[in-house]
């Protein structure tokens, strides 16, 4: 009984160890969506895109040793790509083993443990019926990537590039250094379709701003006219409220101080003039001496 329990315990331990140390194959995906503990990536490329959380990425890729479907590093802010420095083999039977695209700051490529780098086999595709001149057969491709500039200016970038070239040359059994089958620099301008799209967007924006400008101008003019009308109404009201003197004097005074006769109405309706009385004139006589 004791021996049976011991054997069962040993078998369970072996299964546990096998599960812990065994290989785990995962389909390629965006790196942040990758399962934990993957040791091999196949079917689709392993993609590093945009701003990445370094801690999460390193946890996701720490056990990867073999990548069958290539890697893609797209639009990151990295200066040094070293997430896969422990990976031993990178291949891709459907395209380039490595694609670096639109990384604005990329200068260094660190693949310390890499022993095999191999992209699509050009000769096999030529022998098939689906050969296309536009297909990429290079082991490594840089598309509108900053590394293409750093490679020609900085010694460290050039050294990283040549290390990868040596690995790819041995992997593909090439005799020629820096073969065209190893690398390709692509510098594409924006397509005409995207330019047309931006042109249409700018035209629409211009029309909208013009309409808004006309609308606000119309409101401003309308408000100015309303203010002028209000001012005119206020002036007219002020003039109407000023009192007008309608009384007429009954008699006018002459410069000599005498009054002129005024007309009065009689009961019969006729008017008679009434002379104003003046004080009698006095004659002064000289006093007797």
């Amino acid at each position: 009984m004791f021996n049976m329990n011991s054997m069962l315990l040993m078998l369970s331990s072996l299964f546990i160890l096998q599960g812990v140390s065994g290989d785990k194959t995962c389909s390629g995906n965006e790196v942040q969506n990758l399962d934990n503990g993957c040791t091999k990536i196949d079917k689709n490329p392993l993609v590093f895109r945009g701003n990445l959380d370094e801690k999460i990425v390193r946890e996701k890729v720490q056990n990867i040793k073999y990548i069958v479907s290539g890697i893609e590093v797209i639009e990151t802010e990295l200066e040094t790509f070293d997430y896969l420095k422990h990976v031993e083999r990178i291949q891709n039977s459907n395209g380039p083993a490595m694609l670096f695209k639109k990384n604005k700051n990329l200068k260094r490529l660190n693949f310390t443990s890499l022993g095999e780098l191999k992209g699509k086999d050009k000769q096999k595709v030529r022998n098939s019926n689906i050969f296309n001149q536009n297909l990429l057969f290079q082991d490594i491709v840089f598309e509108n990537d900053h590394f293409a500039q750093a490679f020609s200016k900085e010694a460290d970038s050039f050294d990283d590039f040549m290390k990868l070239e040596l690995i790819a040359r041995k992997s593909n059994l090439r005799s020629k250094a820096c073969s065209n089958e190893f690398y390709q620099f692509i510098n594409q301008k924006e397509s005409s379709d995207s330019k047309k799209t931006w042109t249409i967007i700018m035209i629409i924006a211009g029309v909208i701003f013009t309409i808004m400008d006309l609308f606000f101008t119309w409101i401003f003019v309308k408000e100015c006219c309303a203010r002028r009308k209000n001012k005119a109404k206020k002036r007219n009201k002020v003039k109407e409220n000023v009192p007008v003197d309608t009384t007429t004097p009954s008699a006018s005074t002459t410069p000599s101080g005498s009054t002129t006769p005024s007309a009065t109405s009689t009961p019969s309706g006729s008017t008679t003039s009434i002379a104003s009385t003046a004080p009698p004139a006095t004659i002064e006589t000289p006093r007797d001496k």
Side-chain angles (χ1 to χ4, degrees), residues 62-96:
Q62 62 183 347
N63 296 321
I64 298 176
K65 297 296 182 182
Y66 181 24
I67 299 176
V68 182
S69 49
I71 66 170
E72 295 180 358
V73 184
I74 302 172
E75 295 180 348
T76 70
E77 299 292 334
L78 299 172
E79 290 190 9
T80 300
F81 183 83
D82 61 352
Y83 288 129
L84 301 178
K85 59 185 178 181
H86 55 280
V87 174
E88 298 173 359
R89 300 169 63 190
I90 300 179
Q91 299 176 345
N92 188 2
S93 59
N94 296 315

Side-chain angles (χ1 to χ4, degrees), residues 100-109 140-154 157-158 161 183-188:
F100 296 91
K101 183 177 180 180
K102 295 182 179 180
N103 299 288
K104 297 179 180 179
N105 305 315
L106 190 62
K107 296 180 181 179
R108 302 296 307 275
L109 302 176
I140 183 169
V141 173
F142 300 92
E143 183 176 343
N144 295 339
D145 198 272
H146 182 264
F147 187 87
Q149 301 176 17
F151 154 79
S152 60
K153 296 178 181 179
E154 300 186 18
S157 301
F158 182 79
F161 180 83
Y183 74 99
Q184 183 176 7
F185 293 136
I186 301 174
N187 187 15
Q188 293 180 340

Side-chain angles (χ1 to χ4, degrees), residues 29-171:
N29 201 343
E30 299 278 344
V31 66
Q32 63 270 20
N33 299 326
L34 193 69
D35 292 340
N36 292 327
C38 298
T39 59
K40 181 180 178 181
I41 306 297
D42 67 357
K43 294 184 179 179
N44 301 309
L46 179 60
V47 181
F48 300 80
R49 189 192 307 272
N51 295 325
L52 301 170
D53 187 313
E54 182 177 355
K55 183 179 179 181
I56 293 176
V57 172
R58 294 195 184 280
E59 288 178 356
K60 295 284 187 180
V61 303
Q62 62 183 347
N63 296 321
I64 298 176
K65 297 296 182 182
Y66 181 24
I67 299 176
V68 182
S69 49
I71 66 170
E72 295 180 358
V73 184
I74 302 172
E75 295 180 348
T76 70
E77 299 292 334
L78 299 172
E79 290 190 9
T80 300
F81 183 83
D82 61 352
Y83 288 129
L84 301 178
K85 59 185 178 181
H86 55 280
V87 174
E88 298 173 359
R89 300 169 63 190
I90 300 179
Q91 299 176 345
N92 188 2
S93 59
N94 296 315
M98 296 182 180
L99 171 64
F100 296 91
K101 183 177 180 180
K102 295 182 179 180
N103 299 288
K104 297 179 180 179
N105 305 315
L106 190 62
K107 296 180 181 179
R108 302 296 307 275
L109 302 176
N110 188 343
F111 292 90
T112 308
S113 302
L114 191 64
E116 183 176 344
L117 177 62
K118 193 173 183 179
K120 193 169 193 173
D121 192 330
K122 188 174 183 178
Q123 190 60 40
K124 288 183 179 179
V125 177
R126 282 187 181 278
N127 296 333
S128 67
N129 295 325
I130 57 172
F131 178 72
N132 186 342
Q133 293 290 344
N134 296 323
L135 292 176
L136 298 176
F137 304 99
Q138 288 75 17
D139 301 314
I140 183 169
V141 173
F142 300 92
E143 183 176 343
N144 295 339
D145 198 272
H146 182 264
F147 187 87
Q149 301 176 17
F151 154 79
S152 60
K153 296 178 181 179
E154 300 186 18
D156 291 336
S157 301
F158 182 79
D159 289 343
D160 293 342
F161 180 83
M162 293 308 298
K163 288 176 182 177
L164 292 175
E165 191 278 331
L166 181 60
I167 296 169
R169 195 193 326 164
K170 291 180 178 179
S171 301

